[in-house]
Amino acid sequence: MLQEKALAILKSGRNVFLTGSAGTGKTYVLNEYITYLKARKVPVAITASTGIAATHMNGMTIHSWAGIGVKDHLTKGDLASMKAKKYLKTHLERVKVLIIDEVSMLHKNQINLVDIVLQYFKGNNDAFGGIQVVLSGDFFQLPPIGKPGETSKEKFSFMSEPWLKASLSVCYLTEQYRQSDNDLNLILNEIRQGGISDKSYTQLKKASKNELNEEKEATKLFTHNSDVDRINSEHLATLPGKPKTYSATTKGNKKLIETLKNSVLAGENLAFKIGAKVMFVKNDTEKRYVNGSMGTVLGFTDKGFPSVKLLNGKTVAAEIENWSIIDDNGKTLASYNQIPLRLAWAITVHKCQGMTLDEAEIDLSKTFEKGQGYVALSRLKKLENLQLIGLNEMALSVDRLAQKADSRFKDLSEDADNAHKLEELELQASSFISASGGITNPKEITKTKNRLKEKASGKLSTYEATLIHLKQSVTLKDIAEIRGLSVGTIAGHLIKIRKDHPDENLSFYKPKAAIIKQVKAAYNQQSKGSTISLNAIYSKLAGKVSYDDIKLAVAFF
């Protein structure tokens, strides 16, 4: 199924299982849907099975969101106690859409508990309390952590009762955005099918002799933390000079702060030297780097932050970033502030999930879990970018139950693709938004979109924040309302913005030629070289032109 159809099915309000091999854009589709819902003011919970996956989407773990923590079961007393907690009661009763990413790592028992909690808080015995649930993941990736001796049937979430009751529409994405039709893609597909060919196995073994770019020094992937910590410490110690250290700052609920500490890949205490190999661990709002961008510390800025030369040749100054857990009302429950970097001579396979690496040196000789080899290899785009250090029998194996389920998911996705036409889904989307209490008025949607954009771009100056709205030809009155400023202030912004961005087409705000002519004539009567005096122009025109129109006219001199 293509991304467009999957997104349309999501918008129709159906319960969905979004899946596909690594690199097919599952996270992209989820983020598009989240943006769509937020712009229409539909309460959406963004969660994931692990803290690492949750931080990729600025969400929280499903365990924290649902209040289940590490519990194995819930009594009536537990549920009543949970309902007495205001922060849980508020978001669980309001939510209309629940998203759970990396559902492959969510234990069957945990999805059962989420179902119980939602039924209780919603007073509805339908699956997940009758709200839309969107589950996303790939069961060939890392599996749930279970008790010793537990079978896959006892662990995988697709074997749970709520999964079956939810009547999920399966959207199996097929278009590959990471690997093209190359040798690596063929190998990954063979691993998914449960049997790698002799030819592919030989190609993988030959990858041990691949020569990677020495200047870039490829990231090393290991299956165990001890190997990663050892390699990074050894490399940092060989660099001259004293390390510059950074300590994270936190604020909010103590338990949620601990969740962030365990989830964010930028550690609580960081140390870097010039020459250190580093990796950005967060997407930049200005798109200078993404989660997984590699580089080398060139030096430190005047503010003391690392200046990083990326592999693409660009140099970026790393600054303090914020990771937050936010409730449905936009209130920050916990925040973690740190430089979005980590030492990257080596990282674990577990922590690389969700990343795309340019090159990697991978050691799979100690693989201890099915799916680790697939996750590690699928981080790359080409086989030539891999130097394989070691390989054991477990590394290329996949779970047989996951394999059978995947085949079934493909069939169900094809059925869903054939059953729904885009035009019909678009009509159903509007009905779903209305039923969820969201907004459907295009003007109101645009206002909300702009508020969200402005909130997301907290680093922008007030003028740049205004420019976001001006580019979309939003009226001055509406911009003022969105930004909480006066129309006069926004009109004044336009003067500076026109000066700083002369090539930007803002003719939508240009006053009538007659007004510009009048204002310019009054301005020309001022002393040469003096600054523009709006009061003087207003007096010269005897109040016949408003201050706001004078500002707009000046902007278009």
Side-chain angles (χ1 to χ4, degrees), residues 120-160:
Y120 179 78
F121 275 83
K122 290 290 186 182
N124 186 324
N125 291 327
D126 291 340
F128 301 100
I131 66 170
Q132 184 192 25
V133 63
V134 178
L135 308 175
S136 178
D138 175 11
F139 285 93
F140 284 120
Q141 300 205 29
L142 300 178
I145 296 171
K147 294 175 182 177
E150 269 191 333
T151 64
S152 297
K153 190 175 180 180
E154 293 169 313
K155 291 194 297 185
F156 281 133
S157 55
F158 62 76
M159 298 302 295
S160 68

Side-chain angles (χ1 to χ4, degrees), residues 19-312:
T19 189
S21 61
T24 51
K26 296 183 290 294
T27 301
Y28 170 79
V29 172
L30 286 183
N31 283 329
E32 286 292 298
Y33 188 45
I34 291 164
T35 301
Y36 169 85
L37 291 172
K38 286 185 173 181
R40 286 153 184 80
K41 296 186 177 180
V42 174
V44 53
I46 306 159
T47 75
S49 58
T50 68
I52 293 168
T55 59
H56 290 172
M57 299 177 64
N58 294 318
M60 62 196 298
T61 64
I62 184 61
H63 312 74
S64 294
W65 181 85
I68 60 176
V70 294
K71 291 184 176 70
D72 287 328
H73 67 280
L74 291 170
T75 65
K76 288 183 179 179
D78 290 331
L79 291 168
S81 176
M82 288 166 66
K83 202 157 192 175
K85 294 176 181 176
K86 188 178 178 183
Y87 78 95
L88 274 177
K89 178 179 167 67
T90 301
H91 73 242
L92 285 167
E93 289 184 352
R94 283 188 70 247
V95 69
K96 299 293 183 182
V97 180
L98 170 62
I99 292 171
I100 307 177
D101 195 19
E102 298 294 3
V103 74
S104 67
M105 297 175 74
L106 187 67
H107 197 283
K108 172 184 173 181
N109 190 46
Q110 291 163 334
I111 204 167
N112 284 335
L113 294 183
V114 173
D115 179 51
I116 290 168
V117 168
L118 282 166
Q119 286 187 35
Y120 179 78
F121 275 83
K122 290 290 186 182
N124 186 324
N125 291 327
D126 291 340
F128 301 100
I131 66 170
Q132 184 192 25
V133 63
V134 178
L135 308 175
S136 178
D138 175 11
F139 285 93
F140 284 120
Q141 300 205 29
L142 300 178
I145 296 171
K147 294 175 182 177
E150 269 191 333
T151 64
S152 297
K153 190 175 180 180
E154 293 169 313
K155 291 194 297 185
F156 281 133
S157 55
F158 62 76
M159 298 302 295
S160 68
E161 187 180 343
W163 183 293
L164 299 174
K165 277 177 63 181
S167 300
L168 298 157
S169 291
V170 178
C171 298
Y172 197 120
L173 300 181
T174 51
E175 201 165 357
Q176 180 58 244
Y177 291 89
R178 186 175 294 153
Q179 299 93 15
S180 54
D181 292 328
N182 57 29
D183 292 336
L184 179 57
N185 192 35
L186 177 65
I187 290 169
L188 291 172
N189 283 332
E190 286 182 356
I191 293 173
R192 292 176 73 89
Q193 289 160 16
I196 187 168
S197 66
D198 291 340
K199 179 184 176 184
S200 293
Y201 185 77
T202 301
Q203 283 181 308
L204 266 182
K205 294 293 283 184
K206 281 183 180 178
S208 62
K209 297 176 182 177
N210 283 347
E211 292 186 10
L212 304 181
N213 191 320
E214 287 185 11
E215 291 180 13
K216 293 179 180 179
E217 192 175 358
T219 299
K220 296 173 174 64
L221 294 188
F222 293 92
T223 52
H224 290 70
N225 276 307
S226 56
D227 292 318
V228 168
D229 294 339
R230 174 178 52 80
I231 294 287
N232 283 331
S233 297
E234 286 174 359
H235 277 74
L236 188 67
T238 62
L239 296 176
K242 188 178 178 182
K244 196 162 182 62
T245 59
Y246 305 87
S247 297
T249 59
T250 59
K251 185 178 180 181
N253 180 286
K254 289 183 179 179
K255 284 187 178 179
L256 296 181
I257 286 171
E258 285 305 310
T259 298
L260 285 172
K261 284 181 181 179
N262 294 329
S263 306
V264 174
L265 294 181
E268 197 172 355
N269 295 295
L270 300 175
F272 301 113
K273 293 180 182 180
I274 293 174
K277 185 175 180 185
V278 292
M279 172 191 291
F280 280 95
V281 292
K282 198 175 195 290
N283 292 328
D284 179 41
T285 54
E286 297 173 28
K287 299 184 178 178
R288 296 170 302 166
Y289 55 81
V290 297
N291 180 25
S293 291
M294 310 288 291
T296 304
V297 176
L298 287 181
F300 300 92
T301 66
D302 293 340
K303 294 180 181 178
F305 298 132
S307 181
V308 179
K309 185 175 182 180
L310 300 175
L311 295 183
N312 61 14

